[in-house]
């Protein structure tokens, strides 16, 4: 089935482009159908609901070296959920058929990249699929808006391209050094080279990690993210914040930590220090923002620091905690960006200094935003609480008490900036000019409500979720 | 050895030209020249397959794509081009000297650890490498080109508005 996860979105792109022009209106729903299949595939792979042995002959036609595992299922599930949410947001916020058609095509291309990242165990293939995702995203950022917004979008995409090129160079240099120091570039070969303590293998690892830090927008390589998220059209922000940055930077780090680094120094120290610095700087920067999307962007940086920090803790518990937080953050952050899309659609601005008292006018948006904010801040019994608890436990078990303390204290800062967001947007006195504002369209509420329900269900049903995660060998 | 050093110096100069040129077409030609010289270096080092791909894809196909896209843009006026060139020279004139100094400096550096480099595996048969060993990456390259096509369509549709 793993081949189909690459071939079906690719075939869908080809199909979309041979359809007559008048049928392009259906493009977004064809892409939605592919994403429904993608989400179902994660469950089919996990629970074995369908017998797919008949598809084994695909291996003889396509010699793709793919090896999906529990982590792959996690990323595939996240991509399916976030992709569906972003398409629904595009349906309600994009008014041109051509724009929605382009968005659907590029989401499908990015989906091939993300699915590839999920299933490969070879550094060069990993690099190729990271690049597919990145190239599709550069274009996604510039798909809409003319005038000043168009220039901002172009600037955001340009910054993303420039830093991505730096990341590519670092990753390729790392791969070149692995060619010289290891018996190949499979993650298994890399692990063996690192186990011998070969200095060149560690230089290669450091270069590759730096490349992934840029792709994942970890401090000090975070400069591009806030501009790209803020300048991108609403559905693109949902897609980028929910899955793109995580898949191309953070998931690759997860994979490397699980299969190659194995908790060895100095890789572990790089992850601990990089993660802690990213958490603190990201949270402090979020605290100072007045634009809602910008605040959410810096919050994303901070939360990705948590995932990286977990990888520096106890190996098995750390991978589990990082994977769980990865999923929680993908769901909650894409939901918050969907909330931001709803607010921007109704108010025409995301400047929080101009808002206030919207809770009574947009109760569903306010309620779902509160669920996601509190989950990311780590309040029980929401899903984010459990993943942060697992992160602290992973650090504690590894004897990293000071880093565990940083994780706990930074959660307070997270809570602080989300309370600021809630107060500025949904509480307080409402300005007269927003008196006529009403709840947004149902189509925009569907992704927000569905994702908030996932956050609540996963928090309340945590023992079951933990059992599933452990069963997947993540 | 001498000719190889000359080749590397010319390669760096071509790369600098590609980076510093203010006209898109000249930058593209600089990039094509850099790729072609890099292909020669690769061939000389025994990486035949890499040299063939570098020459055909980077120096060939990519140059054609870049020239095609450049033909869709509006050229700058003489005054604008002159101002851009002056501005770039003002900002980047130390770059060649920094590179030269760094190159000379690094040639005196002795790596303190005893690193034994492994010899990379031989290229093998091109068909085997592309169709059996790296078929997945080839599929990935197709997707990147497809995304690039969408990029051109999106950006130039906007320009047409």
């Amino acid at each position: 089935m793993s081949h189909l996860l690459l071939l079906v979105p690719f075939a869908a792109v080809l199909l979309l482009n041979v359809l007559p022009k008048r049928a392009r209106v259906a493009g977004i729903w064809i892409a939605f159908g592919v994403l429904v299949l993608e989400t179902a595939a994660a469950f089919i792979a996990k629970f074995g609901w369908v017998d797919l042995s008949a598809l084994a002959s695909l291996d003889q036609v396509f010699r793709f070296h793919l090896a999906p595992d529990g982590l792959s299922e996690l990323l595939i599930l996240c991509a399916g959920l976030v992709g569906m949410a972003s398409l629904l947001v595009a349906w309600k916020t994009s008014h041109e058929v051509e724009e929605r058609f382009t968005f659907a095509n590029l989401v499908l291309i990015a989906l091939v990249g993300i699915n590839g990242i999920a299933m490969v165990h070879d550094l060069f293939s990993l690099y190729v699929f990271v690049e597919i995702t990145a190239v599709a995203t550069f274009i996604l950022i510039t798909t809409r808006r003319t005038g000043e917004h168009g220039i901002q979008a172009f600037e955001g995409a340009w910054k993303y391209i420039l830093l991505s090129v730096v990341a590519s160079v670092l990753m390729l240099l790392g791969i070149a050094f692995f060619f010289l120091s290891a018996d190949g570039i499979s993650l298994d070969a890399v692990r063996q080279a690192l186990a011998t303590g070969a200095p060149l293998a560690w230089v290669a690892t450091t270069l590759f990690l730096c490349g992934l830090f840029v792709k994942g927008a970890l401090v000090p390589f975070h400069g591009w993210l806030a501009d790209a998220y803020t300048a991108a059209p609403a559905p693109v922000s949902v897609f980028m914040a929910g899955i793109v940055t995580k898949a191309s930077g953070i998931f690759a780090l997860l994979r490397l930590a699980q299969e190659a680094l194995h908790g060895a120094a100095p890789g572990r120290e790089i992850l601990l220090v990089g993660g802690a610095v990213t958490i603190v700087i990201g949270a402090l920067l979020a605290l100072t923002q007045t634009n809602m999307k910008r605040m959410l962007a810096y919050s994303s940086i901070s939360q990705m620091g948590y995932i990286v920090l977990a990888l520096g803790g106890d190996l098995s518990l750390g991978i589990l905690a990082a994977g769980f937080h990865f999923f929680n953050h993908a769901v909650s952050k894409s939901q918050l960006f969907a909330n931001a899309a709803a607010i921007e659609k109704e108010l025409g601005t995301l400047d929080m200094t101009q808002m206030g008292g919207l809770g009574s006018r947009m109760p569903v948006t306010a309620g779902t935003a509160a669920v996601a904010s509190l989950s990311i801040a780590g309040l029980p019994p929401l899903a984010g609480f459990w993943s942060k608890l697992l992160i602290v436990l992973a650090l504690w078990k590894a004897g990293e008490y000071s880093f565990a303390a940083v994780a706990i204290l930074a959660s307070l800062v997270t809570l602080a900036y989300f309370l600021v967001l809630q107060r500025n947007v949904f509480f307080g006195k409402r300005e007269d000019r927003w008196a006529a504002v009403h709840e947004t369209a149902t189509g925009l509420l569907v992704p927000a409500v569905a994702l908030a329900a996932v956050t609540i269900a996963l928090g309340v049903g945590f023992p079951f979720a933990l059992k599933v995660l452990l069963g997947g060998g993540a | 050895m001498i000719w190889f050093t000359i080749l590397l110096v010319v390669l760096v100069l071509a790369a600098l030209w590609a980076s510093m040129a203010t006209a898109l077409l000249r930058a593209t030609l600089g990039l094509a020249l850099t790729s072609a010289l890099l292909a020669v270096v690769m061939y000389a080092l025994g990486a035949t397959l890499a040299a063939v791909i570098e020459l055909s894809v980077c120096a060939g196909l990519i140059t054609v794509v870049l020239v095609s896209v450049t033909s869709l843009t509006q050229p700058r006026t003489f005054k604008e081009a002159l101002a851009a060139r002056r501005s770039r020279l003002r900002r980047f004139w130390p770059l060649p000297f920094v590179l030269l100094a760094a190159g000379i400096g690094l040639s005196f550096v002795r790596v303190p650890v005893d690193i034994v480099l492994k010899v990379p595996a031989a290229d093998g048969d091109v068909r085997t490498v592309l169709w059996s060993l790296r078929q997945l990456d080839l599929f990935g390259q197709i997707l990147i080109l497809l995304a690039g096509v969408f990029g051109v369509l999106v950006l130039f549709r906007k320009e047409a508005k």
Side-chain angles (χ1 to χ4, degrees):
Chain A
M1 188 183 72
S2 50
H3 292 68
L4 291 181
L5 285 163
L6 302 182
L7 295 172
V8 170
F10 178 59
V13 174
L14 298 181
L15 172 72
L16 287 181
N17 287 280
V18 295
L19 284 176
K21 237 181 171 178
R22 61 180 181 281
R24 286 186 170 186
V25 71
I28 203 162
W29 298 114
I30 292 173
F32 193 85
V34 173
L35 284 154
V36 171
L37 290 176
E38 166 107 358
T39 312
F43 287 104
I44 290 168
K46 172 62 74 182
F47 300 109
W49 288 339
V50 183
D51 180 20
L52 295 166
S53 53
L55 296 173
S57 57
L58 272 176
D59 288 346
Q60 287 157 6
V61 184
F62 298 100
R63 289 171 193 170
F64 295 171
H65 301 290
L66 302 167
D69 57 5
L71 275 181
S72 314
E73 288 156 15
L74 179 86
L75 184 59
I76 290 163
L77 180 62
C78 287
L81 291 174
V82 174
M84 283 192 287
S86 68
L87 283 169
L88 285 174
V89 173
W91 173 50
K92 277 292 158 191
T93 56
S94 306
H95 302 296
E96 287 180 32
V97 172
E98 204 59 36
E99 191 181 300
R100 291 202 293 257
F101 177 76
T102 307
F103 182 75
N105 273 295
L106 289 167
V107 163
L108 287 172
I109 292 175
L111 192 67
V112 180
I114 293 166
N115 289 346
I117 293 168
M119 296 185 290
V120 297
H121 297 258
D122 170 285
L123 288 184
F124 189 73
S125 297
L126 186 67
Y127 163 76
V128 169
F129 283 98
V130 165
E131 285 298 296
I132 294 172
T133 315
V135 173
T137 313
F138 302 149
I139 304 153
L140 272 171
I141 297 172
T142 60
T143 45
R144 192 153 46 119
R145 296 181 180 185
T146 47
E148 197 188 330
H149 290 304
I151 293 168
Q152 281 173 3
F154 197 77
E155 190 185 333
W158 182 242
K159 281 185 184 169
Y160 186 23
I161 290 173
L162 279 185
L163 278 160
S164 255
V165 168
V166 174
S168 301
V169 169
L170 291 169
M171 288 166 80
L172 284 174
L173 266 175
I175 290 170
F177 282 144
F178 275 127
F179 264 122
L180 294 170
S181 59
D183 290 326
I185 48 169
S186 68
L187 288 172
D188 197 37
V190 169
R191 182 179 52 76
Q192 286 171 16
L194 291 177
T196 63
L200 200 59
W202 278 109
V203 172
T205 307
T206 309
L207 287 167
F208 203 83
L209 282 179
C210 284
L212 293 181
F213 269 40
V214 179
K215 293 278 183 190
L218 298 170
V219 175
F221 308 107
H222 62 290
W224 63 269
L225 186 131
D227 286 327
Y229 280 18
T230 312
V236 181
S237 300
V238 173
F239 192 61
M240 278 185 80
I243 197 69
V244 170
T245 320
K246 285 185 190 67
S248 49
I250 308 300
F251 185 86
L253 270 175
L254 245 161
R255 181 64 84 198
L256 207 63
Q258 185 202 30
E259 293 191 19
L261 297 179
H262 270 239
R268 190 163 158 265
E269 277 70 22
I270 295 174
L271 294 173
L272 281 170
V273 174
V277 171
T278 302
I279 291 173
V280 175
I281 303 278
L284 292 175
L285 286 170
L287 204 53
T288 60
Q289 302 305 314
T290 54
N291 180 292
M292 189 173 172
K293 266 166 87 168
R294 226 176 158 77
M295 179 185 270
L296 295 178
Y298 282 114
S299 162
S300 285
I301 293 172
S302 178
Q303 296 307 310
M304 284 186 275
Y306 273 99
I307 300 169
V308 175
L309 186 67
L311 298 176
D314 174 72
L315 187 64
S316 53
L317 192 56
I319 297 283
L320 176 71
F324 196 26
H325 198 63
F326 183 97
F327 179 82
N328 287 339
H329 188 249
V331 168
S332 297
K333 196 47 67 75
S334 48
Q335 188 226 299
L336 279 169
F337 273 97
N339 291 139
I343 291 169
E344 191 178 20
K345 185 171 186 289
E346 299 308 320
L347 273 66
T349 180
L350 283 168
D351 185 352
M352 292 190 289
T353 58
Q354 295 180 26
M355 299 180 197
L358 293 175
S360 58
R361 311 300 300 179
M362 304 176 77
V364 181
T365 302
T368 50
V371 169
S373 302
L374 295 176
S375 175
I376 294 175
L379 257 71
L382 298 166
F385 165 73
W386 298 110
S387 56
K388 282 199 173 170
L389 182 66
L390 285 175
I391 290 170
V392 172
L393 287 175
L395 292 166
W396 203 265
K397 198 173 167 193
E400 302 293 347
Y401 308 118
S402 52
F403 286 105
V406 169
I408 295 167
L409 290 173
S411 266
L412 297 175
V413 185
T414 308
L415 185 62
Y417 66 70
F418 273 125
L419 288 177
V420 169
L421 183 147
Q422 290 289 325
R423 188 196 62 200
N424 287 349
V425 179
F426 299 112
F427 294 95
K429 190 173 176 296
R430 191 182 65 239
E431 284 190 35
D432 291 341
R433 61 177 163 152
W434 307 132
V437 167
H438 52 79
E439 187 55 273
T440 195
T442 313
L444 260 180
L445 290 177
V446 169
V449 172
L451 294 173
V454 170
T455 303
I456 295 169
L458 207 52
V460 176
F462 174 69
F464 174 72
L466 187 64
K467 196 177 161 193
V468 171
L469 273 175
L470 288 172
Chain B
M1 190 64 196
I2 292 283
W3 71 266
F4 198 74
T5 310
I6 294 169
L7 192 65
L8 289 176
V9 170
V10 178
L11 176 77
V12 172
L13 289 176
L16 274 171
W17 183 40
S19 315
M20 304 283 285
T22 50
L24 284 174
L25 208 55
R26 280 187 196 154
T28 306
L29 289 177
L31 192 63
L33 183 61
T34 309
S35 286
L37 290 168
L38 189 61
V40 176
V41 172
M42 285 169 170
Y43 184 78
L45 291 173
T48 322
L49 176 59
V52 169
I53 293 177
E54 180 69 28
L55 199 62
S56 57
V57 179
C58 299
L61 180 68
I62 299 295
T63 306
V64 171
V65 173
L66 287 174
V67 170
S68 314
V69 175
T70 306
S71 70
L72 296 171
T73 60
Q74 292 283 339
R76 281 176 168 147
T77 61
F78 179 72
K79 263 188 175 176
E80 285 171 339
L82 198 65
R85 188 176 300 151
R86 278 184 185 150
S87 153
R88 195 163 290 196
L89 276 175
R90 228 180 359 256
R91 282 181 289 161
F92 295 116
W93 68 265
L95 191 61
F97 299 104
V98 170
L99 277 178
L100 195 66
I104 293 168
L106 283 173
S107 68
F108 289 108
V109 174
R110 290 262 177 267
V111 180
V113 284
D114 186 23
I115 295 173
V116 181
L117 297 179
K118 292 190 177 187
V119 179
D123 286 338
D125 182 39
V126 178
R127 288 166 301 179
T128 314
V129 171
L130 289 181
W131 294 110
S132 299
L133 300 176
R134 313 302 307 188
Q135 197 186 59
L136 185 61
D137 304 330
L138 202 64
F139 175 71
Q141 297 293 332
I142 295 168
L143 261 295
I144 291 178
L145 285 177
L146 196 60
V149 170
F150 273 101
V152 173
L153 288 177
V154 167
L155 292 173
F156 286 94
R157 188 167 57 229
K158 249 183 179 173
E159 288 296 314
K161 273 183 184 175

